[in-house]
Amino acid sequence: MTFLLSLLENAGVSMLLWGANIAVFAVVLCLTGQFWQCNAAPALRRAGYCVAIYLSIYWLPEIVSSLLALLNLCLPGVFPETLGVPLSLPAVGHSAIPALRVFNWAAALGAAWLLGALVCAAIRIVPRLRFRKWLRQNRRPLGKRAARILQKVMTQMDEAENLRPGELLDESPRPLPAHPHPRCAAYTVPGLPGPMCVMSGNMRCLLLDKEDYDRETLEAIFRHELSHLAPGGARLWGYEDILAIGGWWNPAAWLLRRYLREENELSCDALANRGRSAETRAAYARALTELAARRPAFLPGTAQMACGNRGLLRRRVRAVMQPPPRRRSIAVGLLFLLVALLSASVFFPAQMEGGARGMAVTEQTFLSDLRAPVDWRGTRTVLPAGLYGAEEAGVNGYVREGATVAGLRLFYADAEALAEGQARLAAALTERLGAPVKAEESETVWQTADESGARTEVRLARGDGFTLVIE
């Protein structure tokens, strides 16, 4: 049970942190998204999305913090010690005394997130399984003419991968292969709303709704769908599922999915037209425009060539016909990668020295550590200064006996601060445990029941020097 609660707490803090950074990145894209799409290199745009979506959960803030700490060692005072705003939820100890426990917000958020993620995953998985079953029943092998064109396109795209920057592909007329053997699975499926590719689990294939397209359109379709299945295009595949399942509660995640869908299409257009001449790019743009006249339909686990609104279609055609100069696209792409890195580092898990990351000890949760298991919060948990007016707490604030926190200790600067802190602690314990059975200047004792029902004493006393001990 303790292990499960720990996982839920970590999930709650992680998803809160990730959602906050995703929101920042989505706002940046709302303001500047079209600029990056028109001017940045596709590979660097893909890297920026990867940084912002995958690494902002915990790893990136930790990497940035470690890097800043290293830079401060090498160049003291030149770089800031931290980057971003600390984000945390109240830490909760699990005392054996029910009256001292407080509501575990982190675990509650983690449980709510997990339940929603499971529901969202089921909503996305079940239709895909049905679609795959329907596809197996209705698909038929690709005809010879379409298979010959597919093999020719695959050969040209393989050659384009070996081109140097600025080189053009040799697109001189070549005879189609007499006996085509395309390496990629492709089928004709009557009833589909349009040509598309499927990349779901171990199923990766091209799908045509019909084969009577003209040769120019068929080549454009195959180029685009093969780009979705190529490593460059496939790197963006699955991000939408991550955003939908992990960020189901976050409106910014759904907004980011729209930009991600656009990015997917733009990246595949660039990959499909690598090394091609202006004439063949124009043919691709014509096919794209003609297919866009159809009503788009998004099926589970599929990508269509002509998806998106009219604004996206205009940007796609412009990017195909007039790609930005290589130097400018790389420079702007690096800037986008930096912006994504900064967006994913705006919030980081609050972490006190040696403490549990993302979990803040407060006056309301401090007392819930009494009689709690030591391994619940770890042996290095640090209590912050300022609790009930204390000057110092730290690791020494915990008095441990075996696997249990037997006592809590606070250190004060003088007698006046100690007296004020004692009064506040006595009031807080009385509010939770009821009237004390013994009340003296140096010691106050309460009686309460622990989780086993046995009567348990809680004692607040002055220790050595200006110290208060709760045990």
Side-chain angles (χ1 to χ4, degrees), residues 180-450:
H181 299 286
R183 301 185 304 274
C184 178
Y187 304 95
T188 301
V189 187
L192 283 180
M196 58 186 62
C197 71
V198 174
M199 187 174 178
S200 179
N202 59 352
M203 179 177 286
R204 300 189 178 194
C205 57
L206 302 180
L207 306 177
L208 288 178
D209 56 328
K210 59 180 183 177
E211 297 186 22
D212 58 350
Y213 292 105
D214 61 79
R215 180 169 174 174
E216 182 179 274
T217 302
L218 206 53
E219 286 189 3
I221 290 172
F222 285 145
R223 281 187 170 276
H224 184 84
E225 305 306 341
L226 285 171
S227 298
H228 276 293
L229 300 179
R235 288 193 185 98
L236 289 177
W237 204 285
Y239 283 36
E240 291 186 35
D241 290 334
I242 292 173
L243 289 169
I245 295 173
W248 62 267
W249 55 275
N250 187 359
W254 295 95
L255 176 63
L256 187 55
R257 289 178 74 245
R258 187 187 75 183
Y259 286 100
L260 187 59
R261 188 177 294 121
E262 294 179 0
E263 180 60 41
N264 205 346
E265 299 305 320
L266 287 164
S267 295
C268 288
D269 286 341
L271 190 60
N273 290 280
R274 182 168 52 187
R276 304 190 79 197
S277 63
E279 292 78 7
T280 51
R281 286 176 176 269
Y284 181 95
R286 283 194 299 271
L288 179 62
T289 306
E290 292 173 3
L291 290 170
R294 297 184 176 190
R295 184 177 180 180
F298 291 97
L299 297 178
T302 63
Q304 288 182 268
M305 179 179 180
C307 64
N309 53 34
R310 293 181 179 178
L312 175 59
L313 179 62
R314 285 194 296 269
R315 293 197 299 274
R316 290 178 65 185
V317 171
R318 188 185 307 118
V320 169
M321 297 302 300
Q322 298 176 346
R326 177 176 172 79
R327 289 186 178 180
R328 187 182 73 186
S329 65
I330 292 178
V332 178
L334 289 173
L335 180 60
F336 176 72
L337 184 58
L338 177 61
V339 169
L341 179 69
L342 294 176
S343 298
S345 304
V346 170
F347 297 97
F348 66 92
Q351 181 174 357
M352 294 168 292
E353 183 182 350
R357 56 185 181 179
M359 310 296 284
V361 179
T362 65
E363 291 187 353
Q364 286 71 35
T365 63
F366 166 65
L367 295 172
S368 64
D369 278 326
L370 185 63
R371 311 291 168 84
V374 170
D375 60 352
W376 174 255
R377 294 282 305 284
T379 57
R380 298 189 301 145
T381 302
V382 176
L383 301 180
L387 293 176
Y388 292 100
E391 184 182 53
E392 180 187 352
V395 177
N396 295 328
Y398 288 98
V399 180
R400 310 181 190 277
E401 287 185 4
T404 304
V405 177
L408 305 169
R409 186 161 43 201
L410 298 176
F411 306 93
Y412 290 84
D414 50 41
E416 182 180 353
L418 183 142
E420 181 181 352
Q422 184 177 5
R424 291 176 59 194
L425 274 167
L429 286 167
T430 299
E431 181 182 356
R432 291 166 171 80
L433 304 177
V437 297
K438 177 183 177 182
E440 298 178 355
E441 183 179 355
S442 60
E443 182 181 67
T444 307
V445 179
W446 293 262
Q447 279 198 344
T448 186
D450 60 22

Side-chain angles (χ1 to χ4, degrees), residues 64-75:
V64 172
S65 298
S66 302
L67 179 60
L68 289 174
L70 179 62
L71 292 175
N72 270 291
L73 287 176
C74 301
L75 302 170

Side-chain angles (χ1 to χ4, degrees), residues 454-469:
R455 300 297 294 176
T456 302
E457 283 191 351
V458 175
R459 185 170 69 95
L460 172 63
R462 298 184 181 183
D464 299 333
F466 301 117
T467 307
L468 284 178
V469 179

Side-chain angles (χ1 to χ4, degrees), residues 138-157:
N138 293 275
R139 69 188 184 187
R140 58 183 176 81
L142 207 61
K144 187 174 182 179
R145 169 180 172 268
R148 293 166 67 188
I149 295 175
L150 174 59
Q151 183 162 338
K152 174 194 172 185
V153 169
M154 294 181 70
T155 302
Q156 286 186 338
M157 294 185 70

